[in-house]
Amino acid sequence: MKGKAFVLLFIIACLSCGQQQTLPVLDIEQLQNENCILLDNSPGYLIQDYGAIFLDSTSGFHPKDIGRITVLDTSLYLLVAGELRCYEFPSGKLKRRFFSPRYFTSFALDTLNLLLYGLDTKAAELVCFAPDGREKGSMQLDRSYTYTEVNSLNNSQLMLLTDVFPDPVIFKVEAWGQEPVRQPFPGKKRERGVLPDSLACPLQVVGRGKEGVFYKYLLNDTLYLLKGDICHPAFTCKMGKEGVRLGNWSHVLKQNRRLCITGLWESKDYWWIQYRSDYFVKQKLYRFTTMAVFYKDLIVKNAGYEFFILDQTITMDTRMPLYMNEERTCFLQIYDPADHQKERKRKLPYNLEEVSDKTNLILNYFYEKQLKKKHI
């Protein structure tokens, strides 16, 4: 009865808040029309502190081997090539490895109890680890679904995402060991067999804010806040005249500026939105992934293609995967030393040039500068 009551409450809340509320609009299409620029000549623009470190025992790995990163206080949790690890932050020293015969594709951190949950997609299994790295137990999931991601909600609850298309299937685990409950998430009905285009859009994007977890599904133009047992529409996303472009390759080449969100983060003062778009110029298709920064009222602060620290060798490439710490104050990004030098045509970060072993992966981190005056 408890599960059924929760499902009913979830449905009523989603329907009622969607019908009665006029939502603000995130107009990414307008960003490109206005040709906004993120690059700035001011030292430390939007950044108050930054650094770069080598991560122990990552020699031989590539940034594509990194599945997820998160930082809580002075601990950095990393998923690399299916293995979970914990590092000291910001030193980059390896503290422990969460040894397991399983190959994990996603993980979630319970910030209240410091428990770590690893998702083995192939085995459809969730594994729980204690803070010291010991395995505490495992949960077998319904094998009829392919699970793509696990996320931690409030009060140690978990959310499981699947690759079901075109209608999302999300599960919530109220407490460890309890059976996952399917959530009736609102969405737009689409014909089966209609697939996303060549933008390589993620089906689902998850972000974390002060009040809860944010969720965006590819075929739904609304961003939702999952808070407790209720979902709240946060804002709608204007991604182009026809929304996300669908169709075959020939259809792709006939249309420009069809956009998708690839990542979103809510810090204290801003929304950071990573998005992707295609342009067809002189019979050639170009793809751009970039980031825009919005005030909390969704007025644009800046948008562009990359972010850098003036006169330094530390950079944040907004085309690549980005991660944010649990306190929502610091961005993190992984680089291969060789790629860092080749793509940027610059030396290694200034504090790493004298390090003898340059084979480990580099972690660059950036702390956001807070607003001195609130935007009106």
Side-chain angles (χ1 to χ4, degrees), residues 153-170:
L153 301 174
N154 297 332
N155 302 321
S156 303
Q157 298 172 341
L158 298 175
M159 178 176 69
L160 288 166
L161 305 184
T162 69
D163 66 353
V164 178
F165 182 89
D167 302 318
V169 175
I170 304 173

Side-chain angles (χ1 to χ4, degrees), residues 55-59 61 85 87 94 97 360:
L55 289 173
D56 284 349
S57 304
T58 55
S59 176
F61 290 111
R85 299 180 178 184
Y87 288 82
L94 182 62
R97 298 168 67 177
N360 287 314

Side-chain angles (χ1 to χ4, degrees), residues 121-323:
T121 297
K122 187 175 181 180
E125 193 172 19
L126 266 180
V127 182
C128 179
F129 291 95
D132 61 4
R134 291 180 299 106
E135 184 176 320
K136 292 176 62 67
S138 61
M139 284 178 54
Q140 184 63 56
L141 305 173
D142 186 348
R143 289 181 175 272
S144 62
Y145 296 94
T146 300
Y147 303 89
T148 59
E149 191 173 335
V150 61
N151 287 276
S152 178
L153 301 174
N154 297 332
N155 302 321
S156 303
Q157 298 172 341
L158 298 175
M159 178 176 69
L160 288 166
L161 305 184
T162 69
D163 66 353
V164 178
F165 182 89
D167 302 318
V169 175
I170 304 173
F171 292 92
K172 183 178 181 181
V173 180
E174 291 278 357
W176 177 252
Q178 292 189 12
E179 183 178 352
V181 178
R182 180 172 175 171
Q183 305 302 300
F185 207 87
K188 292 185 176 180
K189 300 296 181 181
R190 303 283 178 172
E191 295 180 5
R192 303 275 174 186
V194 177
L195 299 175
D197 67 5
S198 63
L199 282 178
C201 311
L203 278 179
Q204 298 158 103
V205 175
V206 176
R208 187 174 298 276
K210 180 180 180 180
E211 297 187 52
V213 170
F214 291 95
Y215 174 84
K216 171 73 170 63
Y217 186 67
L218 172 65
L219 300 185
N220 195 324
D221 63 359
T222 304
L223 179 80
Y224 290 92
L225 168 65
L226 308 181
K227 183 179 180 182
D229 292 340
I230 301 177
C231 70
H232 303 270
F235 54 73
T236 58
C237 306
K238 185 177 180 182
M239 309 300 292
K241 295 180 180 179
E242 299 181 18
V244 176
R245 180 179 56 216
L246 302 173
N248 57 29
W249 179 250
S250 62
H251 180 65
V252 170
L253 296 180
K254 293 179 182 179
Q255 299 189 43
N256 294 335
R257 294 197 174 191
R258 294 298 173 261
L259 315 173
C260 74
I261 291 178
T262 58
L264 62 95
W265 302 268
E266 185 195 27
S267 61
K268 180 178 179 181
D269 297 316
Y270 307 108
W271 283 102
W272 300 71
I273 308 292
Q274 188 183 46
Y275 62 96
R276 185 174 297 156
S277 61
D278 277 357
Y279 292 90
F280 186 56
V281 181
K282 295 182 179 180
Q283 303 303 311
K284 188 173 182 179
L285 188 68
Y286 296 89
R287 175 178 298 166
F288 297 96
T289 300
T290 185
M291 180 178 284
V293 185
F294 300 83
Y295 293 103
K296 287 303 184 68
D297 54 10
L298 297 182
I299 292 178
V300 179
K301 179 173 179 60
N302 285 105
Y305 293 107
E306 62 183 357
F307 188 83
F308 70 97
I309 305 299
L310 187 67
D311 297 330
Q312 299 291 349
T313 53
I314 298 176
T315 184
M316 182 169 77
D317 186 346
T318 55
R319 299 170 299 173
M320 296 170 57
L322 290 163
Y323 307 91

Side-chain angles (χ1 to χ4, degrees), residues 59 66 70 77 79 95 114 118 145 223 228 262 315 347 360:
S59 176
I66 306 299
T70 190
Y77 297 88
L79 174 61
K95 292 171 62 175
L114 297 183
Y145 296 94
L223 179 80
T262 58
T315 184
K347 298 179 181 180
N360 287 314

Side-chain angles (χ1 to χ4, degrees), residues 66-135:
I66 306 299
R68 179 175 289 183
I69 300 172
T70 190
V71 173
L72 179 65
D73 297 327
T74 59
S75 293
L76 182 149
Y77 297 88
L78 172 72
L79 174 61
V80 54
E83 180 186 295
L84 294 169
R85 299 180 178 184
C86 182
Y87 288 82
E88 293 179 357
F89 183 77
S91 72
K93 295 181 179 180
L94 182 62
K95 292 171 62 175
R96 70 182 63 89
R97 298 168 67 177
F98 296 80
F99 289 104
S100 174
R102 303 168 182 85
Y103 189 95
F104 296 113
T105 53
S106 179
F107 77 88
L109 174 64
D110 178 350
T111 58
L112 297 178
N113 304 304
L114 297 183
L115 298 175
L116 204 65
Y117 300 97
L119 172 64
D120 184 336
T121 297
K122 187 175 181 180
E125 193 172 19
L126 266 180
V127 182
C128 179
F129 291 95
D132 61 4
R134 291 180 299 106
E135 184 176 320

